[in-house]
C-alpha cells in the first residue's frame, strides 16, 4: 500500500512535466509593455530605472534582479527578460504543486480530483500567460493559492497562528497588486455565508487583516523610502493611492460584458480570433479552435450543474470560491474592466470548483465524468493550438515583427522618435533589443521644448533621426479602442505628430514603409532633418 506522500509523487511529476513543456519550453514572445519595463530595469540594475512609479512594480523587479544576478554568477547565458520568464516558469510549477497538495490536505480531495483541479488551473490561458512572461502575475498567484486555503482554514479552526499565516500570504500578494485587499471583503462574505462571525471568527479576521497590512505596509513603505525617496507620511500615502485611483472608471452596462469576457479570457485564449481578423489564420483553423472552445465551454456548463463535494473537509470550499469570484468580478466592473490579466486570480477558485465537482460525482456517473475529461482535453487543445503555440512563435506578435523591421531599416546610432500615442510595446522593444535611443512625443512625459532641444542636438551631432509611425488597426491590449478611433478617422499618433512638429522647422522625408500583414501595416518611417530654407517654416514645418 502506498503512503500518502508516495501516492502524491506521480501527479506532481506530471505537473512538473506540464510546466516543463508548456512554460519553460514555450515562453511567450508577446513582450508586453510591462514586461519590457521590468527587463530594462533589471538590466540597468536599478528597479527605478524604467518603471512608471507604481508601488506594485518594485517587489517583482527586485526579485527579478536577484534571479538575473544568480544566473550570471552561475555562468548561465541568461538575458534579463529570459531570467524573469524563467523565474515565472518555476513559480508556475510551484503554484500547480501548491494547488494539488492543498486540495489534498485542506479539502481532502482524492488524487484524481486534486490533479484535475490543478490541471485546469495550469491549462488556463491566464495562468499560462503569467508563467511564460516577464510580468509579476505568477508571483502574485503563488501567494493567492495558499491564501485561498488558509482563508478556509481560518474559518474552520479557532487558531490565531493559522489566521496570521493567512494574513502573511495576503500581505505578500499585496506587494504585487494592491487590488488583493479585496480578499478581506471575500473573507467577510464567506464567513457570513458559512455561519456568521461567531466563534472567534471576527477576532481571527482582525488578526489576518493586521498581519497583512503590517507586512504589506512595511514592504511598500521601505520601497517608497529607499527607491522613491518619499520621506513624509503624506508623500508615501499619495504615492500608494495615486495609481489605484486612476484605474477607477464610471460604471457602464458594457462593463459587465467586459467582466464576463475577462473571466472567459482567463480560461480560454482568444489570440486565434485576432489572428483570424488579421488574415494570419485561415477559416478552417479558426473554425476548429472555435469549435473546441464551444465544446469545452458547453462541457463546463454541463458539469457546473453537478453538486460539488461538500462533506467533511470539502465543506465551505464552494462557498468561498463563489464569494471570491463574485467580489472580484463586481469590483472589476468599476476598476479597469478591460485589463485581462486581472482576471487570472479568478482561476484559483475556478480550479478548486472543478476539483470539487469531480470529487462530488458518483463513481457510476460516466456522462459527467466524461464531460469533465472532455473539458480538460478541449482546454488543452484549444489553448495550445489557438494561442500558446502561435504566441510562442517569434513572428506571431505584431509589435515584435514591427520592432524588428524598424531596427533593420534604421542605423544603429540613430535616434528613433515615436508619437507615443499608441498603446504598444514597440518603442520599448526597440530600446531593449536594439539598445537604441527612443524619444516619445507622449504628452506629460517630457516638455515639448525639451524634446525639441534633444532632437536638434542629435541632428547637430550628425546622428540620424527617424520619425516612426505607430498607428494601429486592431488592439489586443485595450480591447477595440483603436478600432473605434480608426473608424472615426481619428489617429492619435498622427495628431501627436502634427502638434509637435507644427512650426518647429523640421523636414520629414519618407524612408521606409511597413507592408506586412498585421496591426501596423501601412505605417511609415520618416527621416527627420532641419529645414534649410527659413521660408519652409511657413508651410507648417513639415516637408514631404
Amino acid at each position: 500500500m502506498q503512503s500518502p506522500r508516495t501516492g502524491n509523487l506521480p501527479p506532481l511529476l506530471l505537473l512538473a512535466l506540464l510546466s516543463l513543456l508548456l512554460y519553460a519550453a514555450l515562453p511567450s514572445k508577446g513582450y508586453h509593455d510591462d514586461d519590457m519595463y521590468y527587463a530594462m530595469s533589471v538590466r540597468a540594475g536599478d528597479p527605478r530605472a524604467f518603471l512608471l512609479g507604481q508601488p506594485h512594480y518594485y517587489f517583482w523587479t527586485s526579485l527579478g534582479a536577484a534571479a538575473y544576478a544568480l544566473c550570471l554568477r552561475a555562468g548561465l547565458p541568461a538575458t534579463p527578460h529570459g531570467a524573469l520568464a524563467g523565474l515565472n516558469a518555476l513559480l508556475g510549477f510551484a503554484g500547480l504543486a501548491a494547488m494539488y497538495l492543498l486540495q489534498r490536505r485542506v479539502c481532502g480531495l482524492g488524487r484524481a480530483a486534486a490533479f484535475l483541479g490543478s490541471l485546469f488551473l495550469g491549462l488556463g490561458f491566464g495562468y499560462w500567460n503569467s508563467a511564460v512572461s516577464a510580468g509579476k502575475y505568477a508571483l502574485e498567484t503563488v501567494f493567492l493559492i495558499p491564501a485561498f486555503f488558509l482563508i478556509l482554514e481560518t474559518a474552520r479552526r479557532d487558531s490565531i497562528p493559522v489566521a496570521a499565516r493567512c494574513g502573511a500570504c495576503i500581505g505578500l500578494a499585496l506587494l504585487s497588486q494592491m487590488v488583493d485587499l479585496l480578499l478581506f471583503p471575500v473573507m467577510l462574505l464567506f464567513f457570513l455565508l458559512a455561519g456568521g462571525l461567531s466563534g472567534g471568527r471576527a477576532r481571527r479576521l482582525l488578526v489576518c487583516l493586521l498581519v497583512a497590512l503590517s507586512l504589506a505596509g512595511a514592504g511598500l513603505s521601505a520601497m517608497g523610502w529607499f527607491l522613491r525617496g518619499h520621506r513624509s507620511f503624506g508623500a508615501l500615502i499619495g504615492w500608494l493611492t495615486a495609481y489605484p485611483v486612476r484605474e477607477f472608471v464610471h460604471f457602464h452596462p458594457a462593463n459587465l460584458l467586459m467582466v464576463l469576457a475577462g473571466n472567459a479570457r482567463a480560461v480560454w485564449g482568444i489570440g486565434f480570433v485576432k489572428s483570424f481578423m488579421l488574415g494570419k489564420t485561415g477559416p478552417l483553423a479558426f473554425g476548429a479552435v472555435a469549435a473546441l472552445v464551444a465544446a469545452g465551454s458547453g462541457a463546463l456548463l454541463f458539469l457546473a450543474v453537478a453538486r460539488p463535494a461538500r462533506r467533511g473537509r470539502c465543506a465551505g470550499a464552494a462557498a468561498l470560491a463563489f464569494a471570491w469570484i463574485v467580489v472580484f468580478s463586481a469590483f472589476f466592473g468599476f476598476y479597469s474592466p478591460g485589463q485581462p490579466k486581472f482576471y487570472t486570480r479568478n482561476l484559483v477558485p475556478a480550479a478548486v470548483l472543478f476539483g470539487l465537482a469531480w470529487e462530488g460525482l458518483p463513481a457510476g456517473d460516466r456522462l459527467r465524468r466524461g464531460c469533465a475529461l472532455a473539458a480538460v482535453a478541449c482546454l488543452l487543445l484549444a489553448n495550445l493550438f489557438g494561442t500558446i503555440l502561435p504566441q510562442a512563435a517569434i513572428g506571431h506578435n505584431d509589435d515584435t515583427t514591427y520592432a524588428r523591421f524598424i531596427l533593420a531599416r534604421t542605423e544603429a546610432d540613430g535616434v528613433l522618435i515615436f508619437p507615443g500615442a499608441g498603446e504598444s510595446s514597440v518603442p520599448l522593444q526597440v530600446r531593449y533589443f536594439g539598445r537604441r535611443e527612443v524619444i516619445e512625443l507622449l504628452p506629460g512625459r517630457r516638455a515639448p521644448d525639451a524634446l525639441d532641444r534633444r532632437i536638434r542636438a542629435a541632428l547637430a551631432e550628425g546622428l540620424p533621426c527617424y520619425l516612426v509611425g505607430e498607428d494601429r488597426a486592431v488592439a489586443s491590449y485595450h480591447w477595440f479602442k483603436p478600432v473605434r478611433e480608426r473608424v472615426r478617422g481619428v489617429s492619435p499618433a498622427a495628431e501627436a505628430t502634427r502638434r509637435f512638429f507644427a512650426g518647429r522647422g523640421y523636414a520629414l522625408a519618407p524612408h521606409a514603409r511597413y507592408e506586412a500583414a498585421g496591426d501596423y501595416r501601412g505605417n511609415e518611417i520618416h527621416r527627420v532633418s532641419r529645414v534649410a530654407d527659413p521660408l519652409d517654416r511657413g508651410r507648417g514645418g513639415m516637408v514631404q
Side-chain angles (χ1 to χ4, degrees):
M1 181 176 178
Q2 287 184 325
S3 68
R5 290 185 179 182
T6 305
N8 289 332
L9 186 58
L12 290 175
L13 290 176
L14 288 176
L15 292 175
L17 180 62
L18 172 74
S19 303
L20 179 64
L21 295 177
L22 290 187
Y23 305 157
L26 293 174
S28 173
K29 300 299 189 299
Y31 302 124
H32 294 295
D33 50 357
D34 283 356
D35 297 356
M36 294 292 96
Y37 281 124
Y38 293 129
M40 288 190 294
S41 296
V42 168
R43 185 167 66 187
D46 185 352
R48 303 165 297 180
F50 292 95
L51 299 183
L52 301 179
Q54 286 89 330
H56 51 263
Y57 280 174
Y58 295 105
F59 182 41
W60 168 242
T61 310
S62 301
L63 292 178
Y68 180 54
L70 287 175
C71 290
L72 295 181
R73 185 176 292 274
L76 299 177
T79 63
H81 187 279
L84 292 169
L87 179 57
N88 271 335
L90 291 175
L91 291 172
F93 168 67
L96 296 183
M99 173 63 75
Y100 173 81
L101 293 174
L102 289 171
Q103 285 182 107
R104 295 275 288 148
R105 179 177 179 179
V106 178
C107 295
L109 298 187
R111 285 192 293 271
F115 176 75
L116 287 174
S118 302
L119 193 61
F120 181 87
L121 174 67
L123 295 177
F125 170 73
Y127 193 86
W128 173 84
N129 194 49
S130 66
V132 297
S133 68
K136 60 185 174 62
Y137 290 94
L139 177 67
E140 178 193 9
T141 307
V142 162
F143 295 127
L144 291 178
I145 291 170
F148 179 94
F149 294 98
L150 285 169
I151 291 173
L152 195 59
E153 286 285 84
T154 301
R156 293 174 178 173
R157 299 169 54 186
D158 189 7
S159 171
I160 296 300
V162 170
R165 288 196 292 271
C166 180
C169 283
I170 296 175
L172 290 170
L174 286 172
L175 292 176
S176 295
Q177 183 58 257
M178 288 188 290
V179 75
D180 292 324
L181 275 172
L182 286 177
L183 288 175
F184 293 106
V186 168
M187 289 183 69
L188 180 60
L189 177 58
F190 168 57
F191 286 176
L192 294 176
L193 291 174
L197 296 175
S198 60
R201 284 182 174 175
R203 182 178 67 254
R204 300 196 295 274
L205 177 60
L206 180 60
V207 169
C208 182
L209 176 64
L210 291 176
V211 171
L213 294 182
S214 299
L215 179 58
L220 293 171
S221 298
M223 288 184 279
W225 180 281
F226 293 107
L227 300 179
R228 298 293 300 175
H230 297 305
R231 297 293 188 261
S232 68
F233 180 75
L236 183 63
I237 294 299
W239 173 60
L240 292 175
T241 57
Y243 173 76
V245 169
R246 286 202 310 269
E247 294 297 305
F248 280 100
V249 298
H250 294 293
F251 179 77
H252 188 276
N255 291 2
L256 296 177
L257 296 178
M258 297 179 76
V259 169
L260 290 175
N263 280 303
R265 189 177 179 183
V267 179
W268 306 99
I270 61 170
F272 70 98
V273 177
K274 182 182 174 184
S275 296
F276 177 71
M277 292 170 61
L278 294 175
K280 296 181 178 181
T281 300
L284 185 61
F286 171 79
V289 176
L292 287 171
V293 173
S297 300
L300 288 175
L301 290 175
F302 185 72
L303 186 65
V305 302
R307 186 180 181 88
R310 298 180 181 179
R311 297 179 180 179
R313 287 182 290 171
C314 294
L320 175 56
F322 170 80
W324 182 303
I325 294 173
V326 167
V327 169
F328 275 106
S329 297
F331 180 76
F332 291 145
F334 299 88
Y335 186 86
S336 192
Q339 171 57 280
K341 294 180 181 179
F342 281 178
Y343 299 92
T344 300
R345 57 177 49 82
N346 283 349
L347 278 176
V348 174
V352 174
L353 285 175
F354 192 88
L356 291 173
W358 179 272
E359 188 75 6
L361 293 176
D365 194 345
R366 295 182 178 180
L367 178 61
R368 285 195 175 88
R369 286 178 178 264
C371 283
L373 295 176
V376 171
C378 289
L379 186 62
L380 170 62
L381 294 175
N383 283 346
L384 180 63
F385 293 103
T387 303
I388 293 176
L389 289 177
Q391 194 165 314
I394 193 65
H396 171 77
N397 183 266
D398 290 327
D399 287 11
T400 302
T401 54
Y402 187 42
R404 288 173 175 263
F405 171 82
I406 294 167
L407 292 173
R409 295 302 182 93
T410 57
E411 298 179 40
D413 60 346
V415 177
L416 301 175
I417 306 165
F418 288 84
E423 293 162 336
S424 75
S425 66
V426 173
L428 298 172
Q429 292 195 47
V430 167
R431 183 185 296 179
Y432 176 76
F433 292 111
R435 296 179 181 266
R436 304 288 182 85
E437 180 180 355
V438 171
I439 296 176
E440 292 189 74
L441 308 182
L442 187 66
R445 292 286 182 86
R446 290 171 63 181
D449 290 340
L451 295 172
D452 186 31
R453 287 193 297 270
R454 176 61 196 121
I455 296 172
R456 293 188 185 204
L459 291 172
E461 296 170 9
L463 300 178
C465 293
Y466 304 93
L467 174 65
V468 182
E470 56 174 336
D471 204 11
R472 303 185 72 176
V474 178
S476 59
Y477 192 70
H478 293 281
W479 299 346
F480 307 118
K481 178 181 176 182
V483 173
R484 294 197 304 268
E485 291 169 343
R486 180 66 66 85
V487 169
R488 294 172 183 171
V490 178
S491 170
E495 181 66 16
T497 305
R498 185 192 66 80
R499 290 182 179 179
F500 180 81
F501 282 96
R504 293 183 182 270
Y506 292 102
L508 301 178
H511 180 73
R513 182 180 177 87
Y514 187 66
E515 297 292 355
D519 282 358
Y520 299 97
R521 184 172 186 175
N523 276 277
E524 292 184 319
I525 303 174
H526 288 80
R527 185 75 177 254
V528 181
S529 62
R530 295 291 296 164
V531 175
D533 186 353
L535 294 178
D536 287 335
R537 298 192 182 190
R539 306 172 192 166
M542 299 179 67
V543 179
Q544 300 291 337

